[in-house]
Amino acid sequence: MSRSLCALFAVLVLATCSGGSKAPPRNLDNACSIARERPDYIKAFRSTERKWGVPVHVQMATIYQESRYRANARTPHKYVLGVIPMGRQSSAYGFSQALDGTWEQYQRETGKRRAKRDRIRDASDFMGWYMNKSYERNGIHPSDTRNQYLAYHEGHTGYARGTYNSKSWLLRVANDVDARAKLYQQQLASCRI
């Protein structure tokens, strides 16, 4: 095999390996497209809905907001003097942007020690577990996307204290998540998956 052919082959192998299942679906504005492209995602969302009662469209909209469906999503770096990196803004990671401590609590309480934040079925199950706790602790119905998102962002105690009320930007984001959930719900009702 010629040297240039070997180089081309190597580039093709790297290109096919690098995207993999870590790359987000192509059309994030269409729930049916996501479902067709990633049937394992819909399988995970449905499993979470059966187990925890959190509707598929609520999970999908929350994951969109938290990570744009990037398995390895992280928060931005903090900088000193605008140029010196000083770590991340938080420990949030993966599809669900779960914080280290909350993820560890989920693992302990569910017995899922091997669960990973960059695996969709685990991230979806985490989200169901967390939103179920929001229902138990704060009375937020699993289909109430807006308030579930506020509790997801602020934590159960922060939500109970109403910390989100002083954050107009967060209230706007929660409204956006709610609108996306409604869009996804309509789309999922009309597609065959």
Side-chain angles (χ1 to χ4, degrees):
M1 196 183 292
S2 73
R3 188 174 282 177
S4 60
L5 196 54
C6 284
L8 178 63
F9 180 75
V11 168
L12 288 173
V13 167
L14 286 173
T16 57
C17 292
S18 63
S21 64
K22 299 274 186 193
R26 285 185 290 275
N27 185 356
L28 297 179
D29 293 328
N30 188 310
C32 298
S33 177
I34 294 168
R36 280 190 296 274
E37 189 176 337
R38 299 293 165 76
D40 54 322
Y41 286 17
I42 292 299
K43 183 178 177 185
F45 299 148
R46 285 181 174 157
S47 176
T48 293
E49 182 175 31
R50 284 189 302 274
K51 182 176 179 181
W52 300 107
V54 178
V56 170
H57 60 277
V58 174
Q59 297 172 60
M60 290 181 75
T62 304
I63 287 177
Y64 173 87
Q65 181 59 42
E66 291 297 291
S67 67
R68 299 297 194 271
Y69 286 84
R70 291 186 328 264
N72 60 352
R74 293 186 184 276
T75 58
H77 283 93
K78 293 185 287 187
Y79 293 92
V80 173
L81 304 174
V83 292
I84 304 167
M86 296 298 290
R88 301 268 176 192
Q89 292 176 3
S90 80
S91 64
Y93 176 71
F95 287 109
S96 62
Q97 288 294 281
L99 298 170
D100 290 350
T102 312
W103 187 261
E104 290 162 7
Q105 179 186 356
Y106 159 75
Q107 289 178 306
R108 277 192 313 275
E109 289 186 12
T110 61
K112 295 186 174 208
R113 299 274 183 210
R114 294 186 176 178
K116 295 186 176 194
R117 291 180 275 184
D118 60 359
R119 197 164 33 210
I120 194 67
R121 72 175 182 264
D122 294 333
S124 173
D125 191 66
F126 167 82
M127 194 169 288
W129 167 83
Y130 192 90
M131 291 182 175
N132 184 62
K133 284 194 172 299
S134 296
Y135 177 63
E136 291 172 353
R137 292 183 66 180
N138 296 307
I140 306 168
H141 195 275
S143 63
D144 181 351
T145 309
R146 182 180 183 277
N147 285 300
Q148 279 287 356
Y149 184 76
L150 290 170
Y152 195 81
H153 190 276
E154 295 295 279
H156 298 124
T157 303
Y159 179 85
R161 289 183 184 150
T163 56
Y164 53 88
N165 286 316
S166 63
K167 301 174 182 176
S168 58
W169 63 270
L170 179 57
L171 295 171
R172 281 192 304 275
V173 169
N175 289 336
D176 291 346
V177 175
D178 187 50
R180 180 168 291 276
K182 288 174 180 160
L183 173 68
Y184 281 166
Q185 183 179 27
Q186 290 173 343
Q187 291 170 341
L188 289 168
S190 67
C191 64
R192 293 183 182 164
I193 52 169

